Amino acid sequence: AQKITQTQPGMFVQEKEAVTLDCTYDTSDQSYGLFWYKQPSSGEMIFLIYQGSYDEQNATEGRYSLNFQKARKSANLVISASQLGDSAMYFCAMRPISNFGNEKLTFGTGTRLTIIP
Amino acid sequence: DTGVSQDPRHKITKRGQNVTFRCDPISEHNRLYWYRQTLGQGPEFLTYFQNEAQLEKSRLLSDRFSAERPKGSFSTLEIQRTEQGDSAMYLCASSLPTSLSEQYFGPGTRLTVT
C-alpha cells in the first residue's frame, strides 16, 4: 500500500517569492514515481513534474523543481519566483512503476497555495 | 491531439436516479483510469482499463457503479440509484502503456445529487 502525506492545508506567499510545498510518502514498492499536479478552480489536474525513485538528480521543469530525499521519504515541490497564476490546489501523488500492472496514482490531501500581490 | 475530454462537465440529479458519464482519452493511450474526488480531498482511484479489459476495481466502487470501455477507446461510468454521498468530481485519466508515462487528466464531471 502507498500513502502520501501533505501537512500544509494552506499557504500564503508574496508574489515573486519562492515557495516549498511539503510531501512525504510511504511505500513498500522498490520502484515508484512521484508526481506533482496543480488543480486550478476549474478542476482539471495539470501535471507539473515527475521524479523516479531511481533518479539520482532532482527533477526540474521551468520554475518547478522537486527536492527528492529518498532516505527521508520526502518529495517537496519548490516553485521559484511565484506568480499570481500559481494560486491553486497542489497535489503530491505516487504510483508503482511496472510494465504489467495497474499504475494507479495515490494522492495526498493537497495544499491550497494563494499568491498575494 | 485534443487531450482527455469528459462529458458532461456538470450533472445535477435527484437521489435515486441513474447517471452516466463519458470519457474520451487521448487517441493513442490504451490505459484509462477513473478517479473520484470529494470536497477537500485528493482524487481516489476507482477503476482501471487496459484496452477494453477492466483489470482492477477499487472497493470504493460499490455494486451501483459500473464502468465499461467497449472498444478500447472511450469509457463510460454509470451510477445507478444515486445517493447524496455520490456527489463528487469524477476524473478520467489516460496514459501510454509504458512504465514511465504520466497520466493525463480530463476536466472532470462534477456530480451533485440532491
Side-chain angles (χ1 to χ4, degrees):
Chain A
Q2 301 183 327
K3 184 176 180 181
I4 295 284
T5 302
Q6 294 181 255
T7 57
Q8 305 155 311
M11 289 190 70
F12 291 85
V13 174
Q14 205 75 36
E15 189 180 6
K16 298 181 184 177
E17 289 187 351
V19 56
T20 298
L21 304 181
D22 295 340
C23 172
T24 57
Y25 63 90
D26 194 18
T27 181
S28 56
D29 295 298
Q30 292 300 310
S31 296
Y32 50 89
L34 295 154
F35 300 78
W36 278 91
Y37 284 86
K38 173 183 178 180
Q39 188 176 42
S41 55
S42 59
E44 186 171 355
M45 300 289 285
I46 302 168
F47 165 75
L48 295 178
I49 195 167
Y50 164 82
Q51 177 87 41
S53 59
Y54 43 81
D55 292 334
E56 294 185 354
Q57 288 193 326
N58 288 341
T60 59
E61 288 286 348
R63 294 186 300 113
Y64 304 108
S65 61
L66 200 153
N67 184 1
F68 180 47
Q69 298 187 44
K70 194 170 183 178
R72 294 186 176 184
K73 294 189 175 180
S74 74
N76 298 340
L77 176 70
V78 180
I79 306 174
S80 63
S82 57
Q83 303 171 355
L84 295 178
D86 293 334
S87 294
M89 282 291 289
Y90 287 80
F91 290 96
C92 181
M94 73 180 303
R95 64 163 169 77
I97 293 177
S98 167
N99 282 323
F100 307 105
N102 174 4
E103 296 182 337
K104 61 186 177 187
L105 286 164
T106 299
F107 287 85
T109 51
T111 296
R112 180 170 297 281
L113 177 63
T114 302
I115 307 300
I116 305 166
Chain B
D1 181 2
T2 58
V4 180
S5 61
Q6 292 187 246
D7 184 69
R9 295 291 306 278
H10 303 274
K11 179 72 177 178
I12 300 174
T13 191
K14 292 185 177 180
R15 188 177 56 183
Q17 298 294 306
N18 299 344
V19 294
T20 300
F21 310 141
R22 176 178 170 127
C23 170
D24 286 89
I26 295 171
S27 58
E28 63 268 28
H29 288 184
N30 74 340
R31 291 183 176 178
L32 187 146
Y33 301 80
W34 284 98
Y35 294 85
R36 181 173 69 184
Q37 185 179 20
T38 53
L39 204 60
Q41 300 296 317
E44 294 176 291
F45 167 77
L46 290 179
T47 189
Y48 155 69
F49 289 86
Q50 178 141 322
N51 299 311
E52 65 275 9
Q54 187 176 19
L55 298 184
E56 186 172 340
K57 294 194 296 184
S58 162
R59 57 180 173 78
L60 293 175
L61 218 61
S62 75
D63 291 344
R64 297 184 297 105
F65 288 70
S66 63
E68 294 182 341
R69 194 181 183 196
K71 297 183 180 179
S73 56
F74 73 91
S75 175
T76 59
L77 178 67
E78 181 184 16
I79 309 174
Q80 296 182 328
R81 304 181 303 281
T82 53
E83 302 173 355
Q84 286 188 323
D86 297 332
S87 295
M89 174 79 90
Y90 290 84
L91 294 163
C92 175
S94 69
S95 74
L96 290 167
T98 64
S99 61
L100 300 180
S101 60
E102 69 248 30
Q103 294 179 21
Y104 292 85
F105 282 80
T109 294
R110 185 173 295 281
L111 172 67
T112 302
V113 182
T114 60

